[in-house]
Amino acid sequence: MTTEQGPNMIMHIGELAEKSKMSLRTIRHYDEVGLLKPSGRSEGGFRLYTADDLDRLLLIRQIKALGFSLEDMADILHIIQTLQSDNAAADTPGTRVKLDGYLEQALERRTKLQDYLARGDEIIATLEALSR
């Protein structure tokens, strides 16, 4: 149930799950481990999420697709938040080194996924040729 539209919209967990194409269970788990805390709670205690929460969840989904651990995901989210903040002092050499490390890992993981996809395409082509 959306109570508002646009950047100020408020969603219950079901709508967040639908918009993100993620399960309620996963979203609840991300809340439990601190990756995605709801922006608020209804009078009945239901989790309430904003458009910013949806954006964060979609970012989590992108990071998860590369196989990063929950701990790495939290660290990557923190780095992104730090570098996107208006606080120039938060942009330290240590943060940049961590960012570079995660970028390198992400590139390596993407390459591995591309290799898997190419192998998948090969077997699909073989199966399709046999099915004719």
Side-chain angles (χ1 to χ4, degrees), residues 70-101:
L70 291 173
E71 183 178 286
D72 287 340
M73 291 167 67
D75 199 28
I76 291 167
L77 290 167
H78 178 73
I79 290 167
I80 291 169
Q81 185 177 8
T82 297
L83 295 177
Q84 289 179 340
S85 74
D86 292 332
N87 184 358
D91 186 356
T92 65
T95 300
R96 290 291 170 168
V97 166
K98 285 175 125 181
L99 172 66
D100 291 344

Side-chain angles (χ1 to χ4, degrees), residues 14-25:
E15 186 174 1
L16 183 70
E18 184 179 316
K19 287 181 181 291
S20 67
K21 298 184 178 16
M22 298 182 79
S23 71
L24 296 171
R25 182 177 178 202

Side-chain angles (χ1 to χ4, degrees), residues 40-96:
R41 296 263 181 181
S42 70
E43 289 182 19
F46 295 103
R47 293 170 176 89
L48 298 175
Y49 296 93
T50 64
D52 287 341
D53 296 327
L54 175 60
D55 289 344
R56 183 175 176 93
L57 183 57
L58 294 174
L59 183 57
I60 290 168
R61 189 178 71 181
Q62 292 170 348
I63 298 166
K64 175 75 173 149
L66 291 176
F68 284 101
S69 69
L70 291 173
E71 183 178 286
D72 287 340
M73 291 167 67
D75 199 28
I76 291 167
L77 290 167
H78 178 73
I79 290 167
I80 291 169
Q81 185 177 8
T82 297
L83 295 177
Q84 289 179 340
S85 74
D86 292 332
N87 184 358
D91 186 356
T92 65
T95 300
R96 290 291 170 168

